[in-house]
Amino acid sequence: MNIILLGPPGAGKGTQAQRLQAERGMIQLSTGDMLRAAVASGSPVGLKAKAVMEAGELVSDAIVSALIGERLDDMGEAGAIFDGYPRTLAQAEALDLLLAERHRKLDYVVELCVNEDALVERITGRFTCAQCGAGYHDTFKRPKVENTCDVCGSHDFKRRPDDNEETVRTRLAEYRAKTAPILPYYEQRGLVRRVDGMGTPDAVAAEIDAILDS
């Protein structure tokens, strides 16, 4: 089974992809992770990507497609979870071709729908222990003892510099602008399913499982 997970930054795509990998043996294909791995490996595609990124330019669709094609060839029979790709109509069409060439098909496009104001609160309130990486939130998950990590006892915490309201709202606007054209492309083929991305991770997982098992 091959699926696309859609949703803005912070919607929980990564959490759900990791769960699907652990429970169903599917493989998450995140273009960002794949680019970094290809550059580190020094593969022909990786060297091309490295040159483009070092020049401060965006990696072309052709390079991204080549990376995904390589990864699909290495996966055997495992199902793919596309995370962060496709972002444009051209990429969606390229993905159809990549899958067809390997006798695969896209089964579902699962969109994690979110309330943007609530998502801003979810993201901007996040912080982690600087020592062990345990995650916390200003509103939803504070340490049991103020300024003390529940896991390792450290008093040192940190926040991602881009977890601020202005940046988050910019990322949400970018997601809407880029994703809007590809949803109708998949909707006309009856592939789109929507889940409530504001639920707990377990509730979202249950909705996704119901779709994949239907």
Side-chain angles (χ1 to χ4, degrees):
M1 180 173 287
N2 305 291
I3 68 171
I4 294 171
L5 280 183
L6 284 181
K13 299 187 301 297
T15 297
Q16 296 303 324
Q18 288 168 14
R19 183 190 63 83
L20 290 168
Q21 287 190 122
E23 296 180 6
R24 293 179 180 257
M26 300 175 76
I27 296 178
Q28 180 184 12
L29 300 186
S30 167
T31 49
D33 292 343
M34 289 164 60
L35 276 169
R36 286 186 286 274
V39 169
S41 74
S43 71
V45 177
L47 292 173
K48 285 183 183 177
K50 183 180 181 180
V52 170
M53 290 189 289
E54 286 181 346
E57 299 171 6
L58 289 174
V59 176
S60 70
D61 284 355
I63 290 176
V64 174
S65 293
L67 274 175
I68 289 174
E70 281 185 354
R71 191 72 181 92
L72 287 170
D73 290 338
D74 293 339
M75 282 171 46
E77 298 300 312
I81 307 161
F82 296 97
D83 175 7
Y85 180 93
R87 293 179 186 273
T88 65
L89 192 54
Q91 289 180 353
E93 292 169 344
L95 178 59
D96 282 343
L97 186 59
L98 285 168
L99 291 170
E101 288 171 349
R102 291 157 180 83
H103 308 290
R104 289 175 175 257
K105 68 180 180 70
L106 192 61
D107 294 283
Y108 295 108
V109 176
V110 180
E111 183 181 20
L112 277 64
C113 300
V114 298
N115 175 294
E116 293 196 359
D117 289 336
L119 188 65
V120 169
E121 182 185 13
R122 178 194 284 183
I123 294 174
T124 56
R126 298 187 300 197
F127 61 100
T128 59
C129 173
Q131 297 301 316
C132 73
Y136 298 95
H137 193 278
D138 291 333
T139 304
F140 308 120
K141 189 187 176 186
R142 298 196 63 81
K144 293 184 177 69
V145 177
E146 194 67 19
N147 295 320
T148 304
C149 176
D150 297 346
V151 178
C152 72
S154 170
H155 304 298
D156 191 12
F157 295 92
K158 63 180 181 179
R159 296 176 188 267
R160 282 176 45 167
D162 56 345
D163 279 355
N164 61 77
E165 182 167 355
E166 182 181 359
T167 302
V168 172
R169 290 201 183 276
T170 297
R171 280 160 33 199
L172 288 168
E174 285 176 357
Y175 169 76
R176 284 196 305 273
K178 289 177 179 176
T179 309
I182 70 170
L183 277 169
Y185 177 74
Y186 290 122
E187 282 173 336
Q188 67 186 7
R189 290 157 58 185
L191 296 178
V192 177
R193 302 290 186 276
R194 291 181 170 87
V195 302
D196 178 7
M198 300 310 297
T200 65
D202 286 346
V204 175
E207 286 195 56
I208 293 174
D209 285 339
I211 292 165
L212 301 192
D213 292 335
S214 61

